[in-house]
Amino acid sequence: MAVTLKGDQEMSNIPTIKGKSLRINLNKNIYGTFSEIGAGQETVRNFFRAGGSSGTIAKAMSAYDKDFSDAIYGIEDDRRYVTETRLKRMLNHEIHLIEDRLSREKHPNKFFFSYANTVTTIDFAKKFKGHGWVGIRFQLDPLEDYNEIVLHLRFKETDITLQQETLGKLGVNLIHGAFYMNDNPKDLLISLYDNIDKDQLEIDMINFSGPRFMYVDNRLMSLQLVKNDMTNAVMFDSSGVNLLPASILYKKNILALRGSFRPVTKVNMDIYENAKKLFFKENKVKEENTQIIFEITLSNLRSEGKINERDFLDRAELLCSLGQNVMISNFQEYYKLVEYFSEFTKSRMGLALGVESLINIFDEKYYRDLSGGILEAIGKMYFKDLKIYAYPLKDRNTGKIITSDNLVVHPRMIELYKFFKNNGKLVDIKNYDPEILTVFSKIILDMIAKSKPGWEEMLPEGISELIKQNRLFGYSRLRQIKK
């Protein structure tokens, strides 16, 4: 028994990469293939080095030559190789081969798996750090259908050898997690960074599927990526499937609407409809090349102290029902969001927001961590191809309508604000519905909680029915308590 001394600090008990590899190798039933394209045989090498790999590795291969790769896995419609569709072709092909070539009569207890990655590492000029797709298809019972985990990564390191080693560790973590942590996907997600620093790698998309993950909501897994600082932003579509932001936003015109959407109100949709019309009228904007995003910040989800996952899913459910793509981001300041979009597009961008949020943009206190302060933040927004669409605010005390023309900012900010507005960066939404300016999410939630009538009329068509039917925002529970 180990001796424990006073003053000892608690040490991490994270298993090593060799330990994880050996555990899998020593399991007599885990058996499968490795197919790695773009960064060498980095994952399978860890299993070879750990020892006892002959009972685990059915085949290891790399199809580096494009013609060989196409001959094995087929030709992609877009002729690209580092894509999700390519990865899934690889997983499908290898699973079919192992099922075809190995008799179930001879191997009745084997859990077959196929691990694959297709990546591009840092280029010679070191301008593009590289990215890749990694996935595993695996069984947990010989008579059960396959489960699948697919993720996208972005390298942060600037050395190809280091990137290769990091990729190898990630692969081992994924395979180990798939077999030994599948009952807790949140912990599985965290374990992907075992023996890896977050400065080395970013994971910006992950999807779970299969019989063992039927209960997993991939939107919640997206939230975990941002919550755990694995990435700064994630996206999912109206069906709840996680999307890769880089793929969805690439070379697109982007219109983003930030809000709490708790729940989504008539005001939110009025901002959406009017901002969309104004955005599509811009000379540089093509409707067919535009991506519209409803964005929620992590700080908004933490507004009540900690993230309420049920509350998050309720918001997501309503936005998805309206057919919208949703982004969860860690960008509290708008300039960070604009910079993020600029990584993927040089086309025109738009931000639709209320005048109240516009006041915050020109508030110095949000930029104290920037060496250039508010001048740096506004400059980063100004020099992008950006338009801000401002929705009016009705003063609760005076009833006065506040727009960008009569908005009061701090005296020190007046000239900066004028400069920003007079150079065409700021556009007022004028065709608004004056009857709904007093509609706020907080009021609606309070009315639901207190069983007050009339909240249904403040929501877009069909939303109140969804809240009632799906027991969103505690509707049914609160009503039952009242009764």
Side-chain angles (χ1 to χ4, degrees):
M1 184 175 177
V3 175
T4 303
L5 299 178
K6 261 186 185 179
D8 281 345
Q9 298 295 314
E10 187 175 341
M11 301 292 290
S12 171
N13 58 357
I14 294 173
T16 64
I17 294 300
K18 182 177 181 180
K20 287 186 175 187
S21 303
L22 185 60
R23 184 181 185 186
I24 291 168
N25 282 348
L26 294 179
N27 186 301
K28 61 183 180 181
N29 291 326
I30 298 176
Y31 197 61
T33 64
F34 293 76
S35 182
E36 304 183 69
I37 298 177
Q41 298 269 276
E42 300 306 315
T43 301
V44 76
R45 183 177 61 172
N46 286 300
F47 289 91
F48 281 129
R49 285 180 169 178
S53 60
S54 60
T56 300
I57 303 170
K59 181 182 76 171
M61 66 167 292
S62 287
Y64 273 88
D65 185 87
K66 291 180 179 179
D67 291 335
F68 266 81
S69 185
D70 288 342
I72 297 169
Y73 301 117
I75 302 173
E76 303 298 330
D77 293 337
D78 57 9
R79 307 291 301 186
R80 294 166 64 201
Y81 294 87
V82 186
T83 64
E84 184 178 13
T85 54
R86 191 58 166 190
L87 178 78
K88 291 198 170 185
R89 274 181 185 258
M90 293 165 69
L91 293 173
N92 273 332
H93 179 84
E94 299 301 336
I95 279 294
H96 286 150
L97 279 185
I98 198 169
E99 289 277 10
D100 213 29
R101 293 175 177 175
L102 295 180
S103 167
R104 275 294 180 188
E105 292 182 3
K106 187 177 179 180
H107 305 283
N109 299 317
K110 293 289 187 185
F111 308 149
F112 291 150
F113 75 90
S114 172
Y115 167 84
N117 65 52
T118 174
V119 302
T120 175
T121 50
I122 193 166
D123 62 352
F124 186 75
K126 296 195 174 183
K127 290 183 179 179
F128 178 67
K129 291 183 181 178
H131 72 109
W133 290 90
V134 180
I136 181 171
R137 187 166 294 175
F138 64 102
Q139 292 177 309
L140 293 168
D141 187 290
L143 301 177
E144 193 175 85
D145 201 0
Y146 286 90
N147 306 283
E148 185 176 280
I149 307 172
V150 169
L151 63 88
H152 181 265
L153 64 92
R154 296 169 75 184
F155 290 113
K156 293 184 179 182
E157 294 166 311
T158 55
D159 180 86
I160 188 170
T161 303
L162 295 178
Q163 288 185 353
Q164 290 172 332
E165 290 175 357
T166 300
L167 177 64
K169 292 176 182 178
L170 176 69
V172 174
N173 288 337
L174 176 61
I175 297 169
H176 181 271
F179 283 108
Y180 292 107
M181 304 182 74
N182 54 78
D183 61 331
N184 194 332
K186 289 182 185 177
D187 286 348
L188 192 161
L189 206 61
I190 293 171
S191 78
L192 295 177
Y193 278 89
D194 286 356
N195 307 289
I196 300 174
D197 195 279
K198 287 175 183 174
D199 291 335
Q200 298 174 278
L201 192 72
E202 175 185 354
I203 299 174
D204 55 3
M205 196 220 79
I206 192 165
N207 275 315
F208 294 80
S209 60
R212 295 297 176 105
F213 299 127
M214 289 179 65
Y215 64 93
V216 174
D217 191 315
N218 281 307
R219 297 170 299 186
L220 192 55
M221 292 299 104
S222 269
L223 175 62
Q224 299 303 314
L225 291 177
V226 183
K227 181 181 173 183
N228 295 328
D229 294 321
M230 296 177 179
T231 188
N232 284 317
V234 292
M235 286 181 66
F236 52 85
D237 65 15
S238 57
S239 62
V241 174
N242 290 338
L243 304 171
L244 178 64
S247 177
I248 299 300
L249 304 177
Y250 185 64
K251 291 186 177 181
K252 294 288 181 67
N253 296 118
I254 302 169
L255 176 62
L257 296 88
R258 173 174 289 183
S260 66
F261 309 115
R262 188 177 184 249
V264 59
T265 67
K266 282 187 175 179
V267 171
N268 296 136
M269 297 314 293
D270 199 35
I271 296 174
Y272 163 71
E273 293 293 346
N274 281 287
K276 184 171 66 171
K277 289 175 185 176
L278 290 170
F279 194 58
F280 288 160
K281 286 180 181 178
E282 299 283 347
N283 291 330
K284 294 183 178 181
V285 176
K286 294 182 180 179
E287 186 173 347
E288 64 274 13
N289 193 48
T290 296
Q291 187 62 239
I292 299 178
I293 300 165
F294 280 62
E295 185 232 5
I296 307 173
T297 65
L298 202 64
S299 59
N300 186 286
L301 293 172
R302 284 189 177 128
S303 60
E304 295 185 350
K306 64 178 183 178
I307 294 175
N308 183 328
E309 293 178 353
R310 182 65 262 168
D311 176 74
F312 161 71
L313 290 175
D314 288 350
R315 303 191 213 190
E317 199 70 36
L318 295 184
L319 291 173
C320 289
S321 73
L322 294 169
Q324 302 300 333
N325 286 341
V326 181
M327 172 176 280
I328 309 298
S329 85
N330 208 16
F331 306 123
Q332 188 170 358
E333 298 86 3
Y334 278 101
Y335 80 89
K336 291 182 179 179
L337 180 64
V338 173
E339 281 194 313
Y340 178 75
F341 289 153
S342 299
E343 291 181 28
F344 311 116
T345 185
K346 288 182 171 54
S347 301
R348 174 152 293 176
M349 296 173 281
L351 296 178
L353 45 85
V355 165
E356 201 167 9
S357 297
L358 190 59
I359 298 171
N360 294 333
I361 288 179
F362 288 88
D363 191 333
E364 288 180 286
K365 70 181 181 184
Y366 293 108
Y367 311 108
R368 287 170 184 160
D369 293 335
L370 279 177
S371 59
I374 191 171
L375 287 175
E376 182 179 343
I378 298 300
K380 287 180 176 182
M381 295 177 70
Y382 179 81
F383 286 104
K384 303 298 182 185
D385 193 356
L386 173 73
K387 285 285 182 78
I388 293 179
Y389 303 98
Y391 193 81
L393 173 69
K394 186 174 183 178
D395 190 292
R396 298 180 189 180
N397 298 319
T398 65
K400 182 180 179 181
I401 303 299
I402 302 172
T403 68
S404 70
D405 292 325
N406 59 1
L407 177 68
V408 177
V409 297
H410 193 280
R412 287 199 301 269
M413 297 298 109
I414 291 175
E415 295 305 318
L416 181 61
Y417 176 74
K418 284 182 180 178
F419 176 79
F420 195 82
K421 177 176 169 58
N422 294 339
N423 280 278
K425 293 293 184 179
L426 190 54
V427 179
D428 279 308
I429 293 175
K430 296 180 179 179
N431 295 324
Y432 60 90
D433 183 354
E435 299 298 320
I436 62 174
L437 289 181
T438 55
V439 172
F440 294 95
S441 294
K442 289 181 180 178
I443 295 174
I444 295 170
L445 284 176
D446 186 62
M447 292 176 73
I448 293 174
K450 295 178 180 177
S451 297
K452 290 183 178 180
W455 59 270
E456 293 92 341
E457 287 72 35
M458 300 180 184
L459 304 178
E461 186 178 350
I463 294 299
S464 61
E465 287 77 11
L466 276 174
I467 290 175
K468 294 174 182 178
Q469 291 169 10
N470 298 333
R471 303 178 182 181
L472 306 182
F473 301 106
Y475 171 79
S476 294
R477 179 175 59 83
L478 291 168
R479 290 295 291 266
Q480 287 166 3
I481 291 172
K482 291 290 180 183
K483 289 179 180 178

